[in-house]
Amino acid sequence: MIVVMSKDATKEQIAKVEKELALLGFKTHPIYGEVKTVIGAIGDKSNIKSNTLLTMPGVERIIPIMKPFKLASREFKQTRTCIDLGDVKIGGEQVVVMAGPCAVEDEKSYMEIARCAKEAGASILRGGAYKPRTSPYSFQGLEEDGLKIMAAAREATGLKLVTEVVDTRDVELVASYADILQIGARNMQNFRLLQEVGQSKKPVLLKRGIAATIEEWLMAAEYIMDTGNYNVILCERGIRTYENTTRFTMDISSIPVVKELSHLPIVVDPSHAAGNWKYVPALAKGAVATGADGLIIEMHTNPSSALSDGPQSLRPDNFAVLMKELELVANAVSRTIFKKDQQ
Amino acid sequence: MIVVMSKDATKEQIAKVEKELALLGFKTHPIYGEVKTVIGAIGDKSNIKSNTLLTMPGVERIIPIMKPFKLASREFKQTRTCIDLGDVKIGGEQVVVMAGPCAVEDEKSYMEIARCAKEAGASILRGGAYKPRTSPYSFQGLEEDGLKIMAAAREATGLKLVTEVVDTRDVELVASYADILQIGARNMQNFRLLQEVGQSKKPVLLKRGIAATIEEWLMAAEYIMDTGNYNVILCERGIRTYENTTRFTMDISSIPVVKELSHLPIVVDPSHAAGNWKYVPALAKGAVATGADGLIIEMHTNPSSALSDGPQSLRPDNFAVLMKELELVANAVSRTIFKKDQQ
Amino acid sequence: MIVVMSKDATKEQIAKVEKELALLGFKTHPIYGEVKTVIGAIGDKSNIKSNTLLTMPGVERIIPIMKPFKLASREFKQTRTCIDLGDVKIGGEQVVVMAGPCAVEDEKSYMEIARCAKEAGASILRGGAYKPRTSPYSFQGLEEDGLKIMAAAREATGLKLVTEVVDTRDVELVASYADILQIGARNMQNFRLLQEVGQSKKPVLLKRGIAATIEEWLMAAEYIMDTGNYNVILCERGIRTYENTTRFTMDISSIPVVKELSHLPIVVDPSHAAGNWKYVPALAKGAVATGADGLIIEMHTNPSSALSDGPQSLRPDNFAVLMKELELVANAVSRTIFKKDQQ
Amino acid sequence: MIVVMSKDATKEQIAKVEKELALLGFKTHPIYGEVKTVIGAIGDKSNIKSNTLLTMPGVERIIPIMKPFKLASREFKQTRTCIDLGDVKIGGEQVVVMAGPCAVEDEKSYMEIARCAKEAGASILRGGAYKPRTSPYSFQGLEEDGLKIMAAAREATGLKLVTEVVDTRDVELVASYADILQIGARNMQNFRLLQEVGQSKKPVLLKRGIAATIEEWLMAAEYIMDTGNYNVILCERGIRTYENTTRFTMDISSIPVVKELSHLPIVVDPSHAAGNWKYVPALAKGAVATGADGLIIEMHTNPSSALSDGPQSLRPDNFAVLMKELELVANAVSRTIFKKDQQ
């Protein structure tokens, strides 16, 4: 940690800050510049207390040197984490594709979507049974009935299930059905929910908040990992910017940045990022070429009748074409797309 | 609702969209422009289904004409809502000041802060017993012990209490202590929590999410109001932008915008917006002159030792000076600062 | 400057960086932490070369300690700059109001607006003769004919003139008419234009770019000041964010931040920030209460027929009411509104 | 154009707006909804005057139906524009790579970089002779001497040249050396400069402003095209967001969006977007997979000594590896990388 003193800081103020740092357990190394003094403080105890130094007279700025996340960092674990779901592995050499509708609407349509997803080569089914919707007047999901439909689709196809949980009180129930628990963007800093899904020991797909920095996102992963559950999959789904031709701005750079800072796998959701199915194939290919470990894509047999997010859903025919294109792109970057029946 | 057809839309496509709109219960009014056709659709049934029209061939864009929020809108209720907490009223002619530390740390310091707050003229005490912190390694609050300390301070000073609740499972407990339940920025779209605080019937201070549009913020209020609890106080606390000399960018324009769109009272939190106590007095005065119905300000007797957000806390002496200045600014815009003992 | 070495940096890499710093003229002070080494480098030569250190093996991050602006900083000049335009002074105890239409359209209407502005108490007339418009098909301004109209209005009212210049080739001409040269938001980093208006020796109103940090804005002022022209007035006019109920987000916090970092005066343009005349009075009062040294407000006798930015223009009657309200707010923060005929 | 009247609009106000629209040359089609009236106005005359309707009593909102850009739109020209620079073509089936240092520093190093660029398969050389720098104290470029060095490199390698012009007064000179004139992000709305480069008839590489919407970017292209110069290459180079692990956020979605809205070619600059050479290869591959028509990449033989933007420059060895990888990715999306000597 570096404490920058203001130009006008007095010797007494500098001495007081050094004393305070010593009390907090740091070794101090002052550097007297031509204009300002800075104090190096060794022994980063976490940032709990240090930012209160800012309130001491003469202190201009505190600069942390260590990252605030530990378990999620590459400094903690150098090798990349590969999450094992039985036959499917996320974070390994193969790229994993998750597909399905935004919301589970009824058994018949979900089963059909599930079959299309499998046929085209997806290995994980998505679908929402508990939907966080901006409006209280929108469809909120089928809840446990939706989970049962998903379980039936797993039974029929052999694909794994990822589904969102939105309330601490539902974690146990949702975990009893899902293979991966999804934390949505709106709940990325719902810390109680993070702790609860951590304790469930299920793998967690952690979506990035719409205005979360990569550091905050990794800190959210840290909350889950701090419970002893290290199976966290990061999911980039677009951040909010001023640009409005897309619903969010897909931050493709987060792929190499996350890979540099963390050992956790990262998947990309081009459907929510774009908010428009027309842009999804281009973005999906871009994400794989950039190094994503997987994709989560909305697909619906009848987007016009979807109860949620129809406009961003691919139809099964477009999805099947995309899967073929993705195989080529994956190969170009020395990877393959995981396909269940080819294992 | 206006449906804009693309330049290349065929007559058949236009006819299909009209038919679909009719099925959804709309009366349609096509307008054939020189380049594009647009279809006016009358009878806004809420936006549940209409955006799926986007997926129909030939449809370029859907433009809603009605706002998605109803109960929170001025169209629903023309007169301004004034929330009655006994002697203190929020949203009336008087400006209300809430003050206190970010987190309740121990009884002695909290009681002293409470006394300073009262003496300077605050009418509501703030203080966090459940703290949502970016890092799992930071102080997370005293939980019920903190609430008990707050209740003791209310007893001693007669001031009202506002405190945050972060988990659906805690709402009943927190509501048994608090006069106002606070929903923090990170939970603005934790819809289950919104419904739960709605059902508690307690007044709710609803902080704006760091990347929430004003429309989304009002939709979050709508979730609470939809439970029958109309006592919602909106709280502007800064939005996330690229500018980094302040922690967030206080969106002062939200004050007149909210007053135009909604009947709900709006208060401002300059402390979290700025993240630096030095800017708080200027921003607090600006907020009152712009029309805020209240302020929520962090104050601590010893910011250097605060367990959370010390750098943005005013000391009691600075807070007392600010309260005198705020009185002058409030008078300049034909209001006064509510003070308990002058009622 | 602080050079942070990565966790894996070797002794050799650290030694090489120290050697390079010495070559660049810095004295080095390494601090060996438990995990990482940081190197303090004293003797800030400006940041010209130092960021290339980033490319050296083992270097993780460079942290500048000194601000990059010098002439614009309070460290360079402690007392606040007050720009003297004859009877009007900007940056002193009095708050200055500039008013007028977005574009000069014709002599008759401009003269009428000028008279209304003066009558209500404005001291400087605004008006664009060279308009930077997003569309090449929009009205681009009357050019020198517009400047002549403005000069006639100055003659008739005694008010000073502020007008924008958009091309290096026009600076001399515009400077021969204007009392203050305006640099628009789009040209804040048109460095050649900054140098040219600097050399004109005229006071410059420097609008903040729509995505400029406060540091970049002060660096733009630095370009002007580096020519020897210290008469720079900063103008906050809103930044671009995701929020779209207002055209831009007025960054009111920039007022106290600029006052802390710089000695230059700061004025606020609530009209361009809001893009809607209805919000202008509230924002104008907020800006004065927060500490702005002046306001620049769009006013038009017939906003419905304005060739540019009509929707954000106040009518003279609303402007006159606002001026009375501003007087009260200015008094509440121990200032007055400058009025020509009361001097 | 759709005019939305407010809920409280009177019959007289609606009639007045209809009358005003008729005066402006529109045919009007009112639709009387249950709550609000909207008026469809046919005969979009451009948006010059229409937004002033906003100031008429009873008008709530104006919704344009037509895009404001014409020449740049796919509605104007359906086939994709392919810009012919002799042997190199931009916007065709082949992907074009431009490479070189941020700034031209001296002949020896530039010639060496040029040779490396050619050898690895780049077809266009980049290099700045006029540098817009945030600080007046930074290296500002060699000006005409730099252009002469670039011309010598073209002579030696046969590669084409792209270089930036920053002042209307320099356009003629720069155009006499360059094959493509670059408009930097800071000058995207320097409309005089756009008009001047338009009149030069040289192809123009138009970088997106750091906070420009795609619509504004296309409007800037429109300024150039309005002079009769249709050879505009759009260049995505990252937009400013709150995320700070990269210098800007590369908006990869702009590729499919631009391809949908416009016929102009789009290239991507991953170096300026990321600000860190380590992320450039991943982003470059992602851009090609997403559909970019080209890349512009910073490369320097000795990044540590670069006078500008060293940290984001690839070394020749890394660049050569990347070129091989790009070939594979281009093939995966049915394209090839243009290589001079293979034609």
Side-chain angles (χ1 to χ4, degrees):
Chain A
M1 188 174 66
I2 303 286
V3 180
V4 181
M5 302 299 296
S6 71
K7 190 194 165 199
D8 308 318
T10 62
K11 279 186 186 178
E12 288 69 31
Q13 289 171 340
I14 295 169
K16 271 197 182 165
V17 170
E18 284 201 73
K19 204 170 150 190
E20 179 70 17
L21 284 165
L23 278 174
L24 291 169
F26 293 96
K27 274 189 254 175
T28 59
H29 292 256
I31 302 176
Y32 304 98
E34 289 167 4
V35 181
K36 292 178 183 178
T37 295
V38 304
I39 306 172
I42 293 180
D44 235 326
K45 305 305 180 196
S46 88
N47 299 311
I48 293 178
K49 295 279 302 178
S50 56
N51 77 339
T52 61
L53 290 162
L54 253 187
T55 60
M56 295 186 70
V59 173
E60 183 181 292
R61 192 150 70 104
I62 305 289
I63 303 166
I65 298 300
M66 301 299 290
K67 302 276 182 225
F69 44 88
K70 296 178 203 302
L71 306 174
S73 75
R74 290 203 70 181
E75 287 157 5
F76 176 76
K77 176 166 177 289
Q78 301 254 4
T79 58
R80 303 211 63 73
T81 290
C82 179
I83 293 166
D84 195 337
L85 297 169
D87 50 359
V88 191
K89 286 176 184 58
I90 302 175
E93 184 260 333
Q94 291 191 297
V95 174
V96 171
V97 179
M98 317 182 191
C102 186
V104 179
E105 293 163 12
D106 61 77
E107 181 155 2
K108 183 155 170 289
S109 73
Y110 194 75
M111 292 303 264
E112 193 187 340
I113 294 168
R115 274 189 296 267
C116 295
K118 187 187 183 184
E119 201 176 316
S123 44
I124 298 175
L125 283 173
R126 61 155 291 149
Y130 298 85
K131 299 299 309 167
R133 301 299 297 276
T134 302
S135 168
Y137 312 122
S138 297
F139 175 64
Q140 310 272 324
L142 296 180
E143 308 201 343
E144 191 171 2
D145 288 344
L147 297 174
K148 287 180 179 162
I149 292 171
M150 292 187 78
R154 171 173 50 197
E155 190 74 20
T157 60
L159 302 187
K160 302 290 180 188
L161 302 179
V162 58
T163 196
E164 181 166 359
V165 57
V166 298
D167 191 328
T168 49
R169 298 170 298 191
D170 300 332
V171 172
E172 197 177 326
L173 177 72
V174 180
S176 71
Y177 289 92
D179 298 298
I180 304 174
L181 293 173
Q182 177 181 315
I183 295 292
R186 293 180 179 87
N187 281 312
M188 193 201 83
Q189 290 193 318
N190 182 340
F191 300 118
R192 296 301 185 90
L193 187 58
L194 298 178
Q195 287 166 329
E196 211 66 41
V197 297
Q199 276 146 14
S200 78
K201 302 300 170 204
K202 284 274 174 183
V204 180
L205 182 88
L206 178 65
K207 289 206 160 185
R208 180 180 184 181
I210 62 167
T213 62
I214 292 175
E215 188 171 300
E216 288 167 345
W217 190 16
L218 292 173
M219 288 306 288
E222 194 84 6
Y223 260 94
I224 299 167
M225 299 172 86
D226 189 41
T227 66
N229 182 349
Y230 286 17
N231 292 321
V232 179
I233 304 149
L234 299 166
C235 178
E236 164 67 35
R237 44 80 69 216
I239 58 173
R240 184 158 271 174
T241 70
Y242 66 86
E243 175 57 46
N244 57 18
T245 53
T246 44
R247 201 154 69 151
F248 294 94
T249 296
M250 189 170 110
D251 182 12
I252 194 134
S253 313
S254 68
I255 302 171
V257 173
V258 160
K259 296 217 157 190
E260 189 188 24
L261 297 177
S262 178
H263 52 86
L264 296 172
I266 177 168
V267 305
V268 171
D269 176 348
S271 308
H272 279 87
N276 186 333
W277 65 271
K278 277 184 272 185
Y279 306 142
V280 169
L283 296 178
K285 286 182 274 184
V288 170
T290 306
D293 295 308
L295 293 166
I296 179 163
I297 293 177
E298 297 212 346
M299 194 244 292
H300 198 287
T301 43
N302 187 3
S304 305
S305 75
L307 293 176
S308 176
D309 284 344
Q312 71 203 33
S313 295
L314 289 179
R315 286 196 318 268
D317 54 343
N318 294 328
F319 179 69
V321 170
L322 173 58
M323 286 299 287
K324 289 200 174 68
E325 295 176 340
L326 288 174
E327 187 71 49
L328 299 174
V329 175
N331 294 345
V333 293
S334 306
R335 299 178 88 166
T336 53
I337 303 291
F338 176 89
K339 279 184 194 147
K340 197 175 160 42
D341 298 337
Q342 296 167 2
Q343 300 305 303
Chain B
M1 185 174 66
I2 303 286
V3 181
V4 182
M5 302 299 295
S6 72
K7 190 193 165 201
D8 307 319
T10 62
K11 279 189 184 176
E12 288 68 32
Q13 289 170 341
I14 295 169
K16 270 197 182 165
V17 170
E18 284 200 71
K19 205 171 149 190
E20 179 71 17
L21 283 166
L23 278 174
L24 290 169
F26 293 96
K27 275 189 252 174
T28 59
H29 293 256
I31 302 177
Y32 304 99
E34 290 166 5
V35 181
K36 294 179 182 175
T37 295
V38 304
I39 306 171
I42 294 180
D44 236 326
K45 306 303 182 198
S46 87
N47 300 309
I48 293 179
K49 294 278 302 179
S50 55
N51 77 337
T52 64
L53 291 163
L54 254 186
T55 63
M56 295 186 71
V59 173
E60 183 180 294
R61 189 150 70 105
I62 305 289
I63 303 165
I65 297 300
M66 302 299 291
K67 303 277 181 225
F69 44 87
K70 296 178 203 303
L71 305 175
S73 75
R74 289 203 70 180
E75 288 157 4
F76 176 77
K77 176 164 178 288
Q78 300 254 6
T79 57
R80 303 211 63 74
T81 289
C82 179
I83 292 166
D84 196 338
L85 297 168
D87 50 359
V88 189
K89 286 175 185 60
I90 303 176
E93 184 261 333
Q94 291 191 299
V95 174
V96 171
V97 179
M98 315 181 192
C102 186
V104 179
E105 294 164 11
D106 62 76
E107 181 154 2
K108 183 155 170 291
S109 73
Y110 193 75
M111 292 302 264
E112 191 188 338
I113 294 169
R115 273 190 296 268
C116 294
K118 185 185 183 183
E119 200 176 318
S123 43
I124 298 175
L125 282 173
R126 61 154 292 149
Y130 298 84
K131 297 301 308 168
R133 301 299 297 275
T134 302
S135 169
Y137 312 122
S138 297
F139 175 65
Q140 309 271 326
L142 296 180
E143 308 201 344
E144 191 172 358
D145 288 345
L147 297 174
K148 286 181 181 162
I149 292 171
M150 291 187 79
R154 170 173 49 197
E155 190 74 19
T157 60
L159 303 188
K160 302 291 180 188
L161 300 181
V162 58
T163 196
E164 182 166 358
V165 58
V166 298
D167 191 328
T168 49
R169 299 171 297 191
D170 300 333
V171 171
E172 197 178 325
L173 177 72
V174 180
S176 72
Y177 288 93
D179 299 297
I180 304 174
L181 293 173
Q182 178 181 317
I183 295 293
R186 293 178 180 88
N187 282 313
M188 192 202 83
Q189 290 193 318
N190 182 340
F191 301 120
R192 296 303 185 88
L193 187 58
L194 297 179
Q195 288 166 328
E196 212 64 44
V197 297
Q199 276 145 15
S200 79
K201 303 300 171 203
K202 284 275 175 181
V204 180
L205 183 87
L206 178 64
K207 289 204 162 186
R208 181 181 185 180
I210 62 167
T213 61
I214 290 175
E215 188 171 299
E216 289 167 344
W217 189 18
L218 292 174
M219 287 307 287
E222 194 83 6
Y223 260 94
I224 298 168
M225 298 172 86
D226 190 40
T227 66
N229 182 348
Y230 286 18
N231 292 321
V232 179
I233 304 149
L234 299 165
C235 178
E236 163 68 35
R237 46 77 72 216
I239 59 174
R240 184 159 272 175
T241 70
Y242 66 87
E243 175 58 45
N244 58 17
T245 53
T246 44
R247 201 153 70 151
F248 295 93
T249 296
M250 188 171 111
D251 182 10
I252 194 135
S253 312
S254 69
I255 301 171
V257 173
V258 160
K259 296 217 157 191
E260 189 187 22
L261 297 177
S262 179
H263 52 86
L264 296 172
I266 177 168
V267 304
V268 171
D269 176 348
S271 307
H272 280 86
N276 186 331
W277 66 270
K278 276 184 273 185
Y279 306 142
V280 169
L283 295 177
K285 286 182 274 183
V288 170
T290 305
D293 295 309
L295 294 166
I296 179 163
I297 293 176
E298 297 212 347
M299 194 246 291
H300 198 289
T301 42
N302 187 3
S304 305
S305 76
L307 293 176
S308 175
D309 284 343
Q312 70 204 33
S313 295
L314 289 179
R315 287 197 319 269
D317 52 343
N318 293 328
F319 178 68
V321 169
L322 173 58
M323 286 298 288
K324 290 201 173 68
E325 295 175 340
L326 288 174
E327 186 71 49
L328 298 174
V329 174
N331 294 345
V333 291
S334 306
R335 297 178 88 164
T336 54
I337 304 291
F338 176 88
K339 279 186 194 146
K340 198 177 160 41
D341 297 336
Q342 297 165 4
Q343 301 304 302
Chain C
M1 187 172 64
I2 303 285
V3 181
V4 182
M5 302 300 295
S6 72
K7 190 193 165 202
D8 308 318
T10 63
K11 279 189 185 176
E12 288 69 31
Q13 289 171 341
I14 295 169
K16 270 199 183 163
V17 170
E18 284 202 71
K19 205 171 150 189
E20 179 70 18
L21 283 165
L23 278 173
L24 290 169
F26 291 96
K27 274 188 253 176
T28 59
H29 293 256
I31 302 177
Y32 304 99
E34 289 166 5
V35 181
K36 293 179 182 177
T37 296
V38 304
I39 306 172
I42 293 180
D44 235 327
K45 305 304 182 197
S46 87
N47 299 311
I48 293 179
K49 296 279 301 178
S50 54
N51 76 336
T52 65
L53 291 162
L54 255 187
T55 63
M56 295 186 71
V59 172
E60 182 181 293
R61 191 150 70 105
I62 305 288
I63 302 164
I65 297 300
M66 301 297 291
K67 303 278 181 223
F69 44 88
K70 296 178 202 302
L71 305 174
S73 75
R74 289 204 70 180
E75 287 158 4
F76 177 76
K77 176 165 179 288
Q78 302 254 6
T79 57
R80 304 212 62 75
T81 289
C82 178
I83 292 166
D84 195 339
L85 297 168
D87 50 0
V88 190
K89 286 176 185 58
I90 302 175
E93 184 261 334
Q94 291 191 298
V95 175
V96 171
V97 179
M98 317 182 191
C102 186
V104 179
E105 293 164 11
D106 62 75
E107 180 154 2
K108 184 155 169 290
S109 73
Y110 194 76
M111 292 302 264
E112 192 186 339
I113 294 168
R115 273 189 298 266
C116 294
K118 186 186 183 184
E119 201 174 317
S123 44
I124 297 176
L125 283 173
R126 61 154 292 150
Y130 299 83
K131 297 299 310 167
R133 301 300 296 275
T134 301
S135 168
Y137 312 122
S138 296
F139 174 65
Q140 309 272 325
L142 297 180
E143 307 201 343
E144 191 171 1
D145 287 345
L147 297 175
K148 285 181 181 162
I149 291 171
M150 291 187 78
R154 170 173 50 198
E155 190 73 21
T157 59
L159 302 188
K160 301 292 179 187
L161 302 180
V162 57
T163 196
E164 182 167 357
V165 58
V166 298
D167 191 328
T168 49
R169 298 170 299 190
D170 300 332
V171 172
E172 197 177 327
L173 178 71
V174 179
S176 72
Y177 288 93
D179 299 297
I180 304 174
L181 292 173
Q182 178 180 318
I183 296 293
R186 294 179 180 88
N187 282 311
M188 193 202 83
Q189 290 192 318
N190 182 338
F191 301 119
R192 296 302 184 88
L193 187 59
L194 297 179
Q195 287 166 328
E196 211 65 41
V197 298
Q199 276 145 15
S200 78
K201 304 299 171 204
K202 284 274 174 182
V204 180
L205 182 88
L206 178 65
K207 288 205 161 185
R208 182 180 183 181
I210 62 167
T213 61
I214 291 175
E215 189 171 299
E216 289 168 343
W217 188 17
L218 292 174
M219 288 307 288
E222 194 84 6
Y223 260 94
I224 298 167
M225 298 172 87
D226 190 41
T227 66
N229 182 349
Y230 286 18
N231 292 320
V232 179
I233 303 148
L234 299 166
C235 179
E236 164 67 36
R237 45 78 70 213
I239 59 174
R240 183 159 272 176
T241 70
Y242 66 86
E243 175 57 47
N244 58 17
T245 52
T246 44
R247 201 153 70 151
F248 294 94
T249 296
M250 189 170 111
D251 181 11
I252 194 135
S253 312
S254 69
I255 301 171
V257 173
V258 160
K259 296 217 158 193
E260 189 187 23
L261 297 177
S262 178
H263 52 85
L264 295 172
I266 178 168
V267 304
V268 171
D269 176 348
S271 308
H272 279 86
N276 186 331
W277 66 270
K278 276 184 274 186
Y279 306 141
V280 168
L283 296 178
K285 285 181 275 184
V288 170
T290 305
D293 295 308
L295 294 166
I296 178 162
I297 293 176
E298 296 211 348
M299 194 247 290
H300 198 289
T301 43
N302 187 4
S304 305
S305 75
L307 294 176
S308 175
D309 284 343
Q312 69 203 33
S313 295
L314 288 180
R315 287 197 319 270
D317 53 343
N318 293 328
F319 178 69
V321 169
L322 172 58
M323 286 298 288
K324 289 201 173 68
E325 294 175 341
L326 288 173
E327 186 72 47
L328 298 174
V329 175
N331 294 346
V333 292
S334 306
R335 298 178 87 166
T336 54
I337 303 291
F338 177 88
K339 280 188 192 140
K340 198 176 160 43
D341 297 337
Q342 298 166 1
Q343 301 304 303
Chain D
M1 186 174 67
I2 303 287
V3 181
V4 182
M5 302 299 296
S6 71
K7 191 194 165 200
D8 307 319
T10 62
K11 281 188 184 177
E12 288 68 33
Q13 289 171 341
I14 295 169
K16 270 197 181 164
V17 170
E18 283 202 72
K19 204 170 150 189
E20 179 69 17
L21 284 165
L23 278 174
L24 291 169
F26 293 96
K27 274 189 254 176
T28 59
H29 292 257
I31 302 177
Y32 303 98
E34 289 167 4
V35 181
K36 293 179 183 178
T37 296
V38 304
I39 306 171
I42 294 180
D44 236 326
K45 306 304 181 195
S46 88
N47 299 311
I48 291 179
K49 293 280 301 179
S50 56
N51 77 339
T52 63
L53 290 162
L54 253 186
T55 61
M56 294 185 71
V59 173
E60 184 181 292
R61 191 149 71 104
I62 304 289
I63 303 166
I65 297 300
M66 302 298 290
K67 301 276 182 225
F69 44 88
K70 297 177 202 302
L71 306 174
S73 75
R74 290 203 70 181
E75 287 157 4
F76 176 77
K77 177 165 178 287
Q78 301 253 5
T79 57
R80 303 212 62 76
T81 289
C82 179
I83 293 167
D84 195 338
L85 297 167
D87 49 359
V88 190
K89 286 176 185 57
I90 302 175
E93 184 262 332
Q94 291 191 298
V95 174
V96 171
V97 179
M98 318 183 191
C102 186
V104 180
E105 293 163 12
D106 61 78
E107 182 155 3
K108 182 153 170 292
S109 73
Y110 194 76
M111 292 304 264
E112 192 187 341
I113 294 169
R115 273 189 298 267
C116 296
K118 187 188 183 184
E119 201 175 316
S123 45
I124 298 176
L125 283 173
R126 61 155 291 149
Y130 298 84
K131 298 299 308 167
R133 300 300 297 276
T134 302
S135 168
Y137 312 122
S138 296
F139 175 63
Q140 309 273 323
L142 295 181
E143 308 200 342
E144 192 171 359
D145 288 345
L147 297 174
K148 286 180 180 160
I149 291 171
M150 291 187 79
R154 170 172 51 196
E155 191 74 21
T157 60
L159 302 187
K160 303 291 180 188
L161 302 180
V162 56
T163 196
E164 181 167 358
V165 57
V166 298
D167 191 329
T168 49
R169 297 170 299 190
D170 299 333
V171 172
E172 197 178 327
L173 177 72
V174 179
S176 71
Y177 288 93
D179 298 298
I180 303 173
L181 292 173
Q182 177 182 316
I183 295 293
R186 293 179 179 89
N187 282 311
M188 193 202 84
Q189 289 193 318
N190 183 340
F191 300 118
R192 297 301 185 89
L193 187 59
L194 298 179
Q195 288 165 327
E196 211 66 41
V197 296
Q199 276 146 13
S200 79
K201 303 301 170 204
K202 284 275 174 183
V204 179
L205 182 88
L206 178 64
K207 290 205 159 184
R208 181 180 184 182
I210 61 168
T213 62
I214 291 176
E215 188 171 301
E216 288 168 343
W217 190 15
L218 292 173
M219 287 307 288
E222 193 84 7
Y223 260 95
I224 298 167
M225 298 172 87
D226 190 41
T227 66
N229 181 350
Y230 286 18
N231 293 321
V232 178
I233 303 148
L234 299 166
C235 178
E236 164 67 36
R237 44 78 71 214
I239 59 174
R240 183 158 273 174
T241 70
Y242 66 85
E243 175 57 48
N244 58 18
T245 53
T246 44
R247 201 154 70 152
F248 294 93
T249 296
M250 189 170 111
D251 181 11
I252 193 133
S253 313
S254 69
I255 301 171
V257 173
V258 160
K259 296 216 157 191
E260 189 188 25
L261 297 177
S262 179
H263 52 86
L264 296 172
I266 177 168
V267 304
V268 171
D269 176 349
S271 308
H272 279 87
N276 186 332
W277 66 271
K278 276 183 274 185
Y279 306 142
V280 169
L283 296 178
K285 286 181 275 185
V288 170
T290 305
D293 295 307
L295 294 166
I296 179 163
I297 293 176
E298 297 212 347
M299 194 245 292
H300 197 288
T301 43
N302 187 2
S304 306
S305 76
L307 294 177
S308 176
D309 284 343
Q312 70 202 35
S313 295
L314 289 179
R315 286 196 318 269
D317 53 344
N318 293 327
F319 179 69
V321 170
L322 173 58
M323 286 300 288
K324 290 200 174 69
E325 296 176 339
L326 288 174
E327 187 70 49
L328 299 173
V329 175
N331 294 344
V333 292
S334 306
R335 299 179 88 166
T336 53
I337 303 290
F338 176 88
K339 279 187 192 144
K340 198 175 161 42
D341 298 337
Q342 297 167 1
Q343 300 305 302

